[in-house]
Amino acid sequence: MALRHAVLAALLDGETNGYELAKTFDVGVANFWYTQPQQLYAELTRLEKDGLISGREIVQDNRPNKRVFRVTDAGLAELDDFAAASAKPSFVRDDLLVKVQAADHVDPAVLIAQLDERATFAQAKIDLFEQLLRSMRGERTEEEFLHEGDRIGPYLTCLRGLAFERGNRDWCRNTITILRHRQAATAQR
Amino acid sequence: MALRHAVLAALLDGETNGYELAKTFDVGVANFWYTQPQQLYAELTRLEKDGLISGREIVQDNRPNKRVFRVTDAGLAELDDFAAASAKPSFVRDDLLVKVQAADHVDPAVLIAQLDERATFAQAKIDLFEQLLRSMRGERTEEEFLHEGDRIGPYLTCLRGLAFERGNRDWCRNTITILRHRQAATAQR
DNA sequence: TTCGTCATGTAATGCGTTACATGATTAA
DNA sequence: TTAATCATGTAACGCATTACATGACGAA
């Protein structure tokens, strides 16, 4: 019962179709919600049936037709209710952290490789988020934009995503350094 | 297929029962995995059936009996395989971020209240993690412990949790400041 | 002619959440 | 006597993932 709200919030930026939305959920929105395309299509169908969004078909030449959706007044009301309800604590689920938790019992080389991969991935997201932020604020400075802009929601969540990925990257790098140091110490004995 | 590994990794710290494990999953382990007690009991049963952990009953007076588990060799092997397999990208799911994404369409006062609540919660976790880290490293400095300690997995994941919660707290506070500023600007008009 | 992009789904299965259930002990 | 702690579950439902399916266009 929460994906619906994530979809509603994402649709506030204007009419879109499932395909576009799926891409958004794979990059920007993915800092706070992630899901597969299939679920989006299913959720869009449900949301439309419940009257929280309304869709219309756009006929295209040379391309498959697409269904675009926008949030209805009922949808906005639903978002209001959701915002007022107490939020569940956020949760992270991360395979990599599970592996590090078992660090003393698994092969360090394997861990280091995965941490390195994650650090690279995090850096790529950092670059992407910085670019996204620049394009959202345009000519303005961040401060100006946040004070005067009229659509700051996505900017604020993107800032959280950016900080999160920086944290990821830095932690991965630190952890690699520590594991390497221990590898060297063990090899010496 | 991933809760099993989180449970296995958590059981590396020694024999425990479901109840104790549930508490761990509510605090420390909760930085990288979260789940309800019911699922833990179910997962423990499954893991035992699959031979990855073995349990024994401890009869207690004045208390309900309990079943404690430890990881078997097969369980360790399973963890090894898991560590070697490529990790899925981590994901965050956060109601509060969904609400902030919709910031321009919902009542700022409500958002501010929730952000404030979250900042307080994050601070509480920060305090808890700092205490946990101190107790894990004992008399040693962090550097000494990470170089010489023989069980650093939980320490490393706790460091990530700490950084995460600091990020949460700081972002909440910043976001509150921005929303308040905008409220004041709007009131003036 | 092969791959990537656009575009939307169904079906089966498995994982996760909510609600419900029990029952004794100890501290306030 | 009320609430918290200890201790473990079942049952129903709903959400999420994986695999499968289709089909046309444009670029290499």
Side-chain angles (χ1 to χ4, degrees):
Chain A
M1 281 295 213
L3 171 61
R4 0 173 22 93
H5 301 111
V7 172
L8 282 174
L11 280 176
L12 289 174
D13 285 312
E15 243 185 9
T16 11
N17 59 333
Y19 189 80
E20 285 301 315
L21 208 57
K23 282 193 288 188
T24 312
F25 269 76
D26 224 45
V27 284
V29 180
N31 340 112
F32 63 90
W33 212 270
Y34 165 80
T35 196
Q36 327 268 140
Q38 296 92 321
Q39 268 211 78
L40 287 177
Y41 286 115
E43 196 59 51
L44 286 169
T45 306
R46 250 174 280 155
L47 280 165
E48 193 182 23
K49 203 189 67 198
D50 296 347
L52 303 182
I53 59 175
S54 73
R56 60 194 181 89
E57 181 133 13
I58 294 189
V59 181
Q60 299 183 116
D61 306 338
N62 304 346
R63 297 248 161 134
N65 295 340
K66 59 184 182 182
R67 294 193 301 137
V68 296
F69 299 92
R70 55 177 189 76
V71 181
T72 61
D73 290 343
L76 285 175
E78 173 76 23
L79 261 181
D80 259 336
D81 288 354
F82 171 69
S86 84
K88 307 186 192 172
S90 76
F91 71 82
V92 182
R93 283 190 177 175
D94 193 339
D95 274 12
L96 185 55
L97 281 163
V98 174
K99 294 175 188 186
V100 171
Q101 174 88 7
D104 310 288
H105 297 265
V106 300
D107 182 4
V110 163
L111 268 187
I112 287 170
Q114 300 223 5
L115 285 161
D116 192 57
E117 199 183 309
R118 175 66 61 89
T120 305
F121 179 80
Q123 184 59 55
K125 280 213 122 180
I126 290 167
D127 296 342
L128 181 70
F129 288 153
E130 281 173 343
Q131 201 191 309
L132 259 174
L133 290 170
R134 270 197 304 275
S135 84
M136 278 192 267
R137 70 176 175 256
E139 296 297 302
R140 286 167 288 195
T141 65
E142 183 162 299
E143 225 197 323
E144 282 166 5
F145 176 75
L146 287 172
H147 286 353
E148 302 150 21
D150 48 64
R151 181 87 182 98
I152 60 163
Y155 198 95
L156 291 168
T157 54
C158 198
L159 281 177
R160 183 69 193 101
L162 178 61
F164 177 70
E165 292 299 346
R166 282 184 178 150
N168 260 339
R169 182 197 58 190
D170 296 347
W171 176 82
C172 286
R173 288 179 180 168
N174 270 329
T175 304
I176 288 171
T177 305
I178 290 156
L179 292 178
R180 285 231 173 93
H181 194 278
R182 289 168 68 94
Q183 268 189 317
T186 309
Q188 235 174 358
R189 276 174 222 142
Chain B
M1 278 291 214
L3 171 60
R4 359 174 23 90
H5 301 111
V7 172
L8 282 174
L11 279 176
L12 289 174
D13 285 311
E15 245 186 8
T16 11
N17 59 334
Y19 189 78
E20 286 301 314
L21 208 58
K23 281 194 289 187
T24 311
F25 269 76
D26 224 46
V27 284
V29 180
N31 341 112
F32 62 90
W33 213 269
Y34 165 80
T35 196
Q36 326 269 139
Q38 293 95 321
Q39 267 211 80
L40 287 177
Y41 287 115
E43 196 59 51
L44 286 169
T45 306
R46 250 174 278 155
L47 280 165
E48 194 181 23
K49 203 189 66 198
D50 296 347
L52 304 182
I53 60 175
S54 74
R56 59 191 182 88
E57 180 133 13
I58 293 188
V59 181
Q60 299 183 118
D61 307 337
N62 303 347
R63 297 250 161 129
N65 294 341
K66 59 183 181 182
R67 293 193 302 137
V68 295
F69 299 92
R70 56 178 189 74
V71 181
T72 62
D73 290 343
L76 286 175
E78 173 75 23
L79 262 180
D80 260 336
D81 289 354
F82 171 69
S86 84
K88 307 185 192 171
S90 75
F91 70 83
V92 182
R93 282 191 176 176
D94 193 339
D95 274 13
L96 185 55
L97 280 163
V98 174
K99 293 174 187 185
V100 172
Q101 174 87 9
D104 311 289
H105 296 265
V106 299
D107 182 4
V110 163
L111 268 188
I112 288 170
Q114 301 222 5
L115 285 162
D116 191 57
E117 199 184 311
R118 176 65 63 89
T120 305
F121 179 80
Q123 185 59 55
K125 280 213 121 183
I126 290 166
D127 295 341
L128 181 70
F129 288 153
E130 281 173 344
Q131 200 191 310
L132 259 173
L133 291 170
R134 271 197 302 275
S135 84
M136 277 192 266
R137 69 176 176 256
E139 296 297 302
R140 286 168 289 195
T141 65
E142 182 160 300
E143 225 196 324
E144 282 165 4
F145 175 77
L146 287 173
H147 286 353
E148 303 150 20
D150 47 65
R151 181 87 181 99
I152 60 163
Y155 197 96
L156 290 168
T157 53
C158 198
L159 281 177
R160 183 68 192 99
L162 178 61
F164 177 70
E165 292 299 345
R166 282 183 177 150
N168 260 338
R169 181 197 57 190
D170 297 346
W171 176 80
C172 285
R173 288 179 181 169
N174 269 329
T175 304
I176 288 171
T177 306
I178 291 156
L179 292 177
R180 283 233 174 92
H181 194 279
R182 289 169 68 94
Q183 268 189 318
T186 309
Q188 236 174 358
R189 274 176 223 140

